[in-house]
Amino acid sequence: MFNLILFGPPGSGKGTQSDKLVAKYGLVHLSTGNLLREEIAQKTPLGVEARSFMDKGQLVPDEVVIGMVDSYFDKHKGSKGFLFDGFPRTVAQAKALDSLLELKKTEIAAVLALEVGEEELVKRLLNRGKTSGRSDDTNEEVIRKRFSVYINETTPVAEHYKKAKKFQAIKGEGSVDEIFQAVSDAIDKKMKE
Ligand code: B4P
């Protein structure tokens, strides 16, 4: 299996690049943001709980997210690999993912981190908010809150993978195609190792 984590702050282009990467490499796309939004759309109890956190720019509790990832993983047994998008977002989630992969006798091949400046991120998210209907993208205060949550809770995840020598930063500003090329080059190199 080849398992990849696409890492980066809100609006850095994880979702945008993931769509292209799953088409190119045939990996299963595991986006916790998309899974949570599906639960919200279906008004499940998990969705109702998740929405109360997401609307405020906070992270959904670890146990909810980890349970969701576990069952998605089981539903896609036998795949050639996973592209984790927006997960893990806390060190507890990263440790849970390590244990899950160990149990399945596989591991993370690489963590590719998209680096984008904060003002560009705000611009992208407010822009997406005009058309996406996403309540977490329309209010600048909520967007700034998501950045502070990212700095406090998610950047330690980068350290976790730096220690394991799996972390690689990639410039996330430029055209979607330029960034896709840089990410693809990094993956191709990893696949040859
Ligand atoms: P996510 O759904 O993961 O989304 P995101 O971080 O907001 O955006 P992403 O980086 O995917 O950006 P995109 O490509 O769409 O999270 C949403 C919320 O769900 C979180 O705040 C949290 O509450 C909850 N959640 C999710 N996972 C969780 C977890 N593991 N634990 C706890 N809570 C969790 O790009 C953004 C915009 O930029 C788009 O409009 C795009 O068109 C544009 N864009 C992309 N690339 C561009 C480029 N190169 N140039 C210009 N614009 C670009």
Side-chain angles (χ1 to χ4, degrees), residues 8-17 31-34 36-37 50 53-55 57-62 65 85-90 93 120 124-125 127-128 134 136-137 146 172-176 179:
S12 55
K14 302 183 294 289
T16 305
Q17 295 298 329
S31 158
T32 42
N34 288 352
L36 291 166
R37 281 185 290 277
F53 292 96
M54 290 165 77
D55 278 355
Q58 293 168 351
L59 293 181
V60 174
D62 284 337
V65 175
D85 158 14
F87 176 85
R89 262 179 157 94
T90 63
Q93 291 181 16
E120 167 72 9
R124 287 185 189 180
L125 292 175
N127 208 23
R128 179 171 68 183
R134 276 181 55 170
D136 57 346
D137 280 348
R146 285 160 66 192
E173 294 190 40
S175 75
V176 169
I179 298 160

Side-chain angles (χ1 to χ4, degrees), residues 10 14 19 74 161:
K14 302 183 294 289
D19 289 343
D74 275 343
Y161 290 107

Side-chain angles (χ1 to χ4, degrees), residues 95-135:
K95 288 184 175 163
L97 180 60
D98 286 347
S99 312
L100 177 70
L101 294 178
E102 204 182 314
L103 212 69
K104 314 277 176 193
K105 303 205 170 9
T106 182
E107 61 177 356
I108 292 295
V111 179
L112 304 180
L114 298 172
E115 292 192 329
V116 181
E118 182 163 330
E119 292 319 306
E120 167 72 9
L121 294 171
V122 174
K123 212 168 70 188
R124 287 185 189 180
L125 292 175
L126 285 173
N127 208 23
R128 179 171 68 183
K130 285 184 202 151
T131 51
S132 67
R134 276 181 55 170
S135 49

Side-chain angles (χ1 to χ4, degrees), residues 3-172:
N3 302 301
L4 182 75
I5 295 174
L6 207 54
F7 190 80
S12 55
K14 302 183 294 289
T16 305
Q17 295 298 329
S18 291
D19 289 343
K20 294 168 74 73
L21 292 169
V22 294
K24 179 167 178 180
Y25 294 99
L27 302 172
V28 173
H29 186 195
L30 198 165
S31 158
T32 42
N34 288 352
L35 292 176
L36 291 166
R37 281 185 290 277
E38 274 164 31
E39 298 281 343
I40 291 174
Q42 288 166 18
K43 299 194 168 61
T44 63
L46 192 157
V48 173
E49 187 190 356
R51 183 172 193 152
S52 64
F53 292 96
M54 290 165 77
D55 278 355
K56 287 186 252 161
Q58 293 168 351
L59 293 181
V60 174
D62 284 337
E63 56 282 12
V64 174
V65 175
I66 292 165
M68 208 175 62
V69 168
D70 260 348
S71 58
Y72 192 84
F73 205 90
D74 275 343
K75 258 192 241 156
H76 293 85
K77 271 188 215 140
S79 73
K80 60 193 254 196
F82 284 84
L83 170 57
F84 296 97
D85 158 14
F87 176 85
R89 262 179 157 94
T90 63
V91 172
Q93 291 181 16
K95 288 184 175 163
L97 180 60
D98 286 347
S99 312
L100 177 70
L101 294 178
E102 204 182 314
L103 212 69
K104 314 277 176 193
K105 303 205 170 9
T106 182
E107 61 177 356
I108 292 295
V111 179
L112 304 180
L114 298 172
E115 292 192 329
V116 181
E118 182 163 330
E119 292 319 306
E120 167 72 9
L121 294 171
V122 174
K123 212 168 70 188
R124 287 185 189 180
L125 292 175
L126 285 173
N127 208 23
R128 179 171 68 183
K130 285 184 202 151
T131 51
S132 67
R134 276 181 55 170
S135 49
D136 57 346
D137 280 348
T138 40
N139 180 330
E140 188 165 336
E141 213 176 297
V142 172
I143 292 175
R144 301 265 178 207
K145 169 74 187 166
R146 285 160 66 192
F147 295 145
S148 73
V149 167
Y150 176 79
I151 289 165
N152 294 327
E153 297 182 51
T154 306
T155 50
V157 174
E159 291 309 315
H160 179 82
Y161 290 107
K162 275 178 193 164
K163 267 190 230 148
K165 303 217 180 326
K166 297 192 172 187
F167 188 89
Q168 184 179 340
I170 292 186
K171 186 171 164 241

